[in-house]
CSV table of all heavy atoms in Angstrom, one decimal:
chain,number,residue,atom,x,y,z
A,33,ARG,N,164.1,91.0,85.5
A,33,ARG,CA,164.3,90.5,86.8
A,33,ARG,C,165.0,89.1,86.8
A,33,ARG,O,165.0,88.5,87.9
A,33,ARG,CB,162.9,90.4,87.6
A,33,ARG,CG,162.1,91.7,87.6
A,33,ARG,CD,162.5,92.7,88.6
A,33,ARG,NE,163.7,93.4,88.4
A,33,ARG,CZ,164.5,93.8,89.4
A,33,ARG,NH1,164.2,93.7,90.6
A,33,ARG,NH2,165.6,94.5,89.1
A,36,LYS,N,170.2,89.9,85.3
A,36,LYS,CA,171.3,90.3,84.4
A,36,LYS,C,172.3,91.2,85.1
A,36,LYS,O,173.5,91.1,85.0
A,36,LYS,CB,170.7,91.0,83.2
A,36,LYS,CG,169.7,90.1,82.4
A,36,LYS,CD,169.1,90.8,81.2
A,36,LYS,CE,168.1,91.9,81.6
A,36,LYS,NZ,166.8,91.4,82.2
A,37,THR,N,171.7,92.3,85.7
A,37,THR,CA,172.6,93.3,86.3
A,37,THR,C,173.4,92.6,87.4
A,37,THR,O,174.6,92.9,87.5
A,37,THR,CB,171.7,94.4,86.9
A,37,THR,OG1,170.9,94.9,85.9
A,37,THR,CG2,172.6,95.5,87.4
A,101,VAL,N,169.4,98.5,91.2
A,101,VAL,CA,168.0,98.9,90.7
A,101,VAL,C,167.8,98.3,89.3
A,101,VAL,O,168.7,98.0,88.6
A,101,VAL,CB,167.9,100.4,90.6
A,101,VAL,CG1,167.8,101.0,92.0
A,101,VAL,CG2,169.0,101.1,89.8
A,102,PRO,N,166.5,98.1,89.0
A,102,PRO,CA,166.2,97.6,87.6
A,102,PRO,C,166.7,98.4,86.5
A,102,PRO,O,166.8,99.7,86.7
A,102,PRO,CB,164.6,97.6,87.6
A,102,PRO,CG,164.2,97.6,89.0
A,102,PRO,CD,165.3,98.4,89.7
A,103,THR,N,167.1,97.8,85.4
A,103,THR,CA,167.6,98.6,84.3
A,103,THR,C,166.6,98.4,83.1
A,103,THR,O,165.8,97.4,83.1
A,103,THR,CB,169.0,98.1,83.9
A,103,THR,OG1,169.0,96.7,83.9
A,103,THR,CG2,170.0,98.6,84.9
A,137,ASP,N,174.6,94.1,78.2
A,137,ASP,CA,173.3,93.8,78.9
A,137,ASP,C,172.2,94.2,78.0
A,137,ASP,O,172.1,95.4,77.6
A,137,ASP,CB,173.4,94.6,80.2
A,137,ASP,CG,172.1,94.4,81.1
A,137,ASP,OD1,171.1,93.8,80.6
A,137,ASP,OD2,172.1,95.0,82.2
B,80,MG,MG1,169.1,94.9,85.0
Side-chain angles (χ1 to χ4, degrees):
R33 312 274 71 211
K36 302 177 289 292
T37 305
V101 291
T103 46
D137 176 355

